[in-house]
Amino acid sequence: MAAVGVLALQGSFNEHIAALARLGVKGMEIRKPEQLQNVTSLIIPGGESTTMAKLAEFHNLFPALREFVKMGKPVWGTCAGLIFLADKAIGQKTGGQELVGGLDCTVHRNFFGSQIQSFEAELPVPELACKEGGPETFRGVFIRAPAVLEIGPGVDVLAECPVPSTNVLYSSSAVQIQEENSVPEEKVIVAIKQGNLLGTAFHPELTADTRWHSYFLKMASEAGEGTSSRSVVPAGGVDLSYDGKPRIDLPIFQ
Ligand SMILES: NC(=O)CC[C@H](N)C(=O)O
């Protein structure tokens, strides 16, 4: 089994490790640069990106993380982790923060507003449903979430989230009357993939639906295929990936 690392400086790393465990995979906590040598893929969790960046800087993790990405090893950033992987972030605190980079995109750090504007939404996820089966939508948990504003040519969009377009609605009274019964919607990108890099603005580790984790494990497994024929299901183990049965979502806060 290829070893999956989870950056464990801050944020929802335990929840990612629990989600991996539900798939029969052990996630290894990564806190030091040398520990990256023991893993073949990495999850960077959500949390608070400025704090996480300060801790990563303190532990001298940035050069090793950049090297890991440059080597083409699979890395998945969720929420603050997506910010870490972006080549460019806007809406940063004064003085900015260091990024790992690699994903050819611009993210807005708090696109959806402050903590109290956190929300959940059913997102159409055609690519995920095609690869992993299950429903055509995924329940996205957005906690003071970022969004992707711009992407480069090599980046695939895996999910978008509808946002009410207040600009259109309020720009003129004529438009307002016309749109009265149908609030116009725009969409913002919330999940992307570029080669072996995956980024989601929401928190799949906080739901019982393990399809994003399983999707990432397959990416990791495919990336490792040149050197071994590893499976994401442990030998003699049980495949706990999506079985088509509806699952009850975990409570987000207990
Ligand atoms: N849930 C999250 O990871 C929030 C990320 C937050 N917007 C940040 O800048 O770090």
Side-chain angles (χ1 to χ4, degrees):
M1 170 71 54
V4 183
V6 181
L7 191 65
L9 299 173
Q10 188 263 342
S12 60
F13 59 89
N14 273 323
E15 288 79 359
H16 271 294
I17 289 169
L20 291 171
R22 292 203 294 278
L23 293 170
V25 173
K26 188 170 164 36
M28 292 175 67
E29 294 182 13
I30 303 292
R31 292 195 177 82
K32 294 178 181 162
E34 58 271 23
Q35 292 171 326
L36 281 169
Q37 287 162 15
N38 305 327
V39 296
T40 46
S41 61
L42 180 71
I43 297 176
I44 305 180
E48 210 286 318
S49 60
T50 316
T51 310
M52 214 186 287
K54 279 186 184 154
L55 289 167
E57 215 174 318
F58 180 79
H59 292 285
N60 192 31
L61 268 157
F62 277 107
L65 287 170
R66 287 194 190 110
E67 189 56 31
F68 199 87
V69 168
K70 263 195 204 125
M71 285 166 80
K73 294 190 179 172
V75 184
W76 174 21
T78 57
C79 206
L82 162 67
I83 300 171
F84 254 51
L85 283 181
D87 278 346
K88 198 173 161 210
I90 62 168
Q92 291 177 304
K93 288 189 180 151
T94 319
Q97 70 201 41
E98 233 181 300
L99 302 173
V100 174
L103 265 178
D104 184 8
C105 70
T106 302
V107 298
H108 188 302
R109 248 190 83 219
N110 298 317
F111 178 83
F112 295 98
S114 63
Q115 198 77 14
I116 54 161
Q117 274 133 1
S118 299
F119 64 98
E120 295 181 19
E122 285 295 325
L123 306 169
V125 284
E127 157 80 1
L128 186 74
C130 170
K131 289 261 164 65
E132 300 299 324
E136 286 296 312
T137 61
F138 186 93
R139 186 172 175 194
V141 177
F142 292 84
I143 305 173
R144 198 155 69 93
V148 181
L149 304 182
E150 278 170 17
I151 52 169
V155 179
D156 295 327
V157 174
L158 302 189
E160 290 177 303
C161 182
V163 284
S165 167
T166 43
N167 289 353
V168 180
L169 190 63
Y170 299 113
S171 59
S172 78
S173 56
V175 170
Q176 200 171 357
I177 291 161
Q178 198 187 332
E179 303 287 358
E180 206 169 290
N181 295 321
S182 61
V183 177
E185 281 188 340
E186 281 176 4
K187 284 185 200 159
V188 68
I189 299 168
V190 290
I192 53 175
K193 181 177 182 293
Q194 178 192 346
N196 282 332
L197 300 179
L198 179 66
T200 54
F202 47 94
H203 287 261
E205 77 284 8
L206 297 182
T207 65
D209 188 340
T210 48
R211 286 181 295 162
W212 282 105
H213 288 82
S214 156
Y215 182 83
F216 179 66
L217 289 173
K218 280 179 192 144
M219 274 172 66
S221 164
E222 277 158 26
E225 247 161 34
T227 49
S228 71
S229 55
R230 285 158 177 155
S231 157
V232 294
V233 180
V238 187
D239 186 356
L240 298 174
S241 58
Y242 197 86
D243 55 10
K245 289 186 199 136
R247 293 181 186 197
I248 299 159
D249 266 5
L250 294 171
I252 301 157
F253 303 111
Q254 288 178 316

